[in-house]
Amino acid sequence: MLNPVTETISIIIPVLNEAHQLSKILHILQQALDVEIIVIDGGSQDQTLEIAKRAGVKIIQSPIGRAHQMNAGVADATGDILLFLHADTRLPRDFDLTIRDTLSQSTVIAGAFRLKIDAPGWKLRVIEWGVNARSRYLQMPYGDQAIFLKTTTFQALGGFPNLPIMEDFELVRQLKRQGRIAIASTAVITSGRRWQKLGAVRTTLINQCVILAYLLGVSPDRVAQWYRSGMKRLRK
C-alpha cells in the first residue's frame, strides 16, 4: 500500500453553467496538498470556463451528462484517489487528509462526507438528519456528498454506468458489494437552491419517487424524463 501522505487526489468536477458556484469552491481546493483539479464542461454558456482557466485547473470538454463528464475526467486523471465533487458543494477544511486517512483503512472500499445544506429552515435540518442517517447505517451516500475512492477500485468497476440519471446511486450499490463505504465525521456544504426553489417536501418527494421507480426496474431514460418534466412543472 502506498503511504497515504504521498497519494495524489484527482478532484473531478462536472459543470454546466456553474460560474457562480465554481468560483466559490476552487480557492478551497487549491489549498490542499497533492491534488489535481479537473473541470469537465458539458457546454456552459456563462463564465464557467473563464473562471476555470483563470484558476489554472485542467479543463475537459465532454457531452452533457454527469456520467459522461465524470468518466471523461477520470480518463485524463493521474491521481491515486478520485474525488467526485458537484460544483455547488464545498468541501470541509483538511478534506484531503480526511480522504487519505479514510481510505487507508483496510476494510474501506470508498467514502463520502456528511451532508449540510446551505439554507435555513427546520425542514432542511430534518432532511440533513435523514441523509446522514441513511449514509451511516445503510452505507448509501449520494453524489452531493463528495464520493471518493481509489482509482484502481473505480477502474475495476468499469467507471460510472452510462445512465442519464442515478449514476451515483448505481456506483454506490456496486461498491457496497466490494467493501465498507465510510462516512467522514466532517460535512460538505451543498447549495440549498434545489430545496429553496421547489420546497423541501416536494423536492424530497420527487427524489424518493425517482429512486423507487429505478429500483422497480423502470427504464433510466424514462425515469430521467419523468424527473425533468416534474421539475419543470414545479418551477412554473
Side-chain angles (χ1 to χ4, degrees):
M1 180 183 295
L2 294 172
N3 187 323
V5 174
T6 64
E7 291 182 311
T8 302
I9 301 173
S10 293
I11 305 174
I12 311 296
I13 311 173
V15 296
L16 179 66
N17 298 324
E18 292 284 7
H20 179 63
Q21 300 294 338
L22 190 63
S23 63
K24 293 180 180 179
I25 68 171
L26 286 180
H27 75 283
I28 298 175
L29 303 181
Q30 292 172 316
Q31 295 173 13
L33 298 173
D34 294 318
V35 301
E36 71 169 351
I37 304 168
I38 305 176
V39 171
I40 310 94
D41 184 65
S44 295
Q45 300 299 313
D46 62 359
Q47 300 300 307
T48 294
L49 288 177
E50 285 76 4
I51 290 170
K53 288 175 183 176
R54 287 200 299 269
V57 303
K58 190 180 293 187
I59 301 170
I60 297 173
Q61 298 284 347
S62 165
I64 190 172
R66 276 198 175 124
H68 286 301
Q69 290 173 253
M70 291 187 290
N71 284 334
V74 173
D76 210 54
T78 63
D80 308 293
I81 295 170
L82 301 172
L83 167 63
F84 297 101
L85 182 66
H86 291 184
D88 63 353
T89 299
R90 302 195 303 275
L91 291 164
R93 187 182 300 274
D94 295 331
F95 71 89
D96 49 328
L97 303 180
T98 299
I99 289 171
R100 294 186 180 102
D101 181 63
T102 301
L103 292 179
S104 69
Q105 301 172 47
S106 60
T107 60
V108 171
I109 193 74
F113 293 87
R114 292 175 58 251
L115 182 72
K116 186 174 180 61
I117 301 170
D118 189 15
W122 67 268
K123 292 179 182 177
L124 295 182
R125 304 293 79 79
V126 172
I127 290 172
E128 287 174 352
W129 178 88
V131 167
N132 292 325
R134 180 202 68 218
S135 302
R136 179 178 178 184
Y137 295 110
L138 299 182
Q139 297 181 54
M140 284 296 296
Y142 295 165
D144 52 8
Q145 292 174 254
I147 297 167
F148 53 85
L149 71 167
K150 295 288 185 69
T151 303
T152 51
T153 302
F154 184 81
Q155 292 171 337
L157 289 177
F160 279 100
N162 186 21
L163 299 174
I165 197 170
M166 305 293 288
E167 74 288 333
D168 53 346
F169 183 87
E170 187 57 40
L171 179 73
V172 169
R173 290 178 75 192
Q174 294 180 35
L175 286 168
K176 281 184 65 177
R177 303 186 188 110
Q178 306 293 325
R180 185 167 69 91
I181 300 175
I183 305 301
S185 60
T186 50
V188 294
I189 301 176
T190 194
S191 170
R193 58 186 177 177
R194 287 175 294 162
W195 294 277
Q196 290 174 318
K197 283 182 179 179
L198 303 179
V201 174
R202 288 190 293 181
T203 302
T204 301
L205 185 60
I206 289 173
N207 291 339
Q208 295 308 307
C209 287
V210 164
I211 293 169
L212 179 60
Y214 181 78
L215 291 174
L216 290 174
V218 177
S219 162
D221 290 318
R222 179 70 60 83
V223 174
Q225 184 179 14
W226 288 348
Y227 177 79
R228 293 180 187 122
S229 62
M231 287 294 190
K232 286 180 181 177
R233 283 197 298 267
L234 287 174
R235 287 194 182 104
K236 292 179 180 179

